[in-house]
């Protein structure tokens, strides 16, 4: 179970992802979380830097779907101006939203990467589906909801400590 929490790639931000390397490895689609992955959880819109990155993704031939556990209003207001398909109330780490995103892109799991800031939702769900998982540092921990801050982040910390101890053995 713990192994399903380990991402294939760990970077500080989405901007640190080597898109050319992803493409060379056969990745054609990106499933990305929204809050604290693309922008802070309370940021209503994309920054100019994010808009440029999304444009770069498209020009490189990647398809993109935002998969978020957040509500319809939040995800719609963010994604529609950017013309990005999305799935809200995804219930990650369950697999239904990941399957739907793959279907929307008409891609297989091995052709798709998932980017997110949480091990217990994005990485766990992506690994269970066989996606290439990329974990980023959360953009703004202060903006996170109570459950994420008090439960998910604490469980992630415990999992990281366990994995670190395993590496030392």
């Amino acid at each position: 179970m713990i192994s399903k929490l380990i991402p294939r790639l760990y970077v500080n931000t989405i901007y640190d992802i080597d898109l050319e390397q992803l493409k060379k490895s056969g990745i054609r689609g990106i499933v990305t979380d929204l809050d604290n992955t693309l922008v802070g959880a309370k940021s209503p819109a994309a920054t100019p830097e994010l808009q440029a990155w999304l444009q770069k993704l498209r020009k490189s031939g990647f398809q993109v779907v935002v998969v978020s556990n957040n509500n319809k209003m939040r995800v719609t207001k963010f994604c529609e101006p950017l013309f990005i398909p999305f799935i809200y109330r995804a219930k990650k780490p369950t697999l239904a939203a990941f399957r739907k995103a793959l279907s929307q892109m008409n891609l297989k799991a091995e052709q798709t990467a998932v980017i997110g800031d949480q091990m217990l939702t994005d990485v766990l769900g992506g690994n269970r589906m066989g996606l290439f998982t990329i974990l980023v540092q959360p953009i703004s921990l202060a903006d996170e909801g109570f459950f994420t801050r008090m439960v998910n982040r604490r469980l992630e910390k415990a999992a990281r400590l366990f994995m670190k101890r395993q590496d030392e053995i």
Side-chain angles (χ1 to χ4, degrees):
M1 170 65 176
I2 291 289
S3 66
K4 294 288 187 193
L5 296 175
I6 301 171
R8 299 269 303 275
L9 179 64
Y10 182 73
V11 294
N12 284 326
T13 74
I14 57 171
Y15 309 109
D16 298 320
I17 298 169
D18 186 339
L19 298 178
E20 280 303 309
Q21 186 58 43
L22 278 185
K23 198 168 187 177
K24 285 178 186 175
S25 66
I27 302 297
R28 299 292 175 258
I30 305 285
V31 172
T32 183
D33 180 44
L34 170 55
D35 296 321
N36 271 337
T37 298
L38 298 179
V39 294
K42 292 186 179 176
S43 298
T47 63
E49 184 181 24
L50 176 59
Q51 290 177 18
W53 185 78
L54 291 167
Q55 189 65 24
K56 183 179 176 182
L57 278 179
R58 289 182 180 127
K59 284 182 181 177
S60 298
F62 290 100
Q63 296 182 66
V64 181
V65 176
V66 169
V67 175
S68 174
N69 283 348
N70 213 325
N71 64 57
K72 182 178 183 179
M73 186 170 71
R74 162 67 172 149
V75 182
T76 302
K77 281 186 174 185
F78 184 87
C79 292
E80 280 188 347
L82 300 170
F83 304 101
I84 298 174
F86 58 89
I87 299 166
Y88 61 91
R89 286 196 186 115
K91 299 179 184 173
K92 296 177 289 183
T94 64
L95 303 183
F98 291 105
R99 286 186 186 117
K100 185 174 180 182
L102 290 174
S103 177
Q104 286 179 357
M105 293 185 288
N106 196 29
L107 293 174
K108 297 176 182 175
E110 59 270 13
Q111 297 173 298
T112 309
V114 61
I115 305 169
D117 68 301
Q118 291 189 56
M119 294 167 70
L120 294 174
T121 56
D122 309 303
V123 174
L124 178 59
N127 281 338
R128 290 177 61 216
M129 277 295 296
L131 307 177
F132 185 91
T133 51
I134 303 171
L135 183 66
V136 298
Q137 286 281 354
I139 292 171
S140 177
L141 290 172
D143 289 350
E144 292 185 325
F146 178 81
F147 186 83
T148 299
R149 194 174 56 251
M150 299 307 288
V151 178
N152 285 10
R153 295 295 180 202
R154 287 181 178 185
L155 289 171
E156 286 180 2
K157 185 176 180 181
R160 284 187 174 139
L161 283 171
F162 177 80
M163 288 184 276
K164 184 178 180 183
R165 288 186 187 132
Q166 293 298 107
D167 287 344
E168 293 170 359
I169 295 175

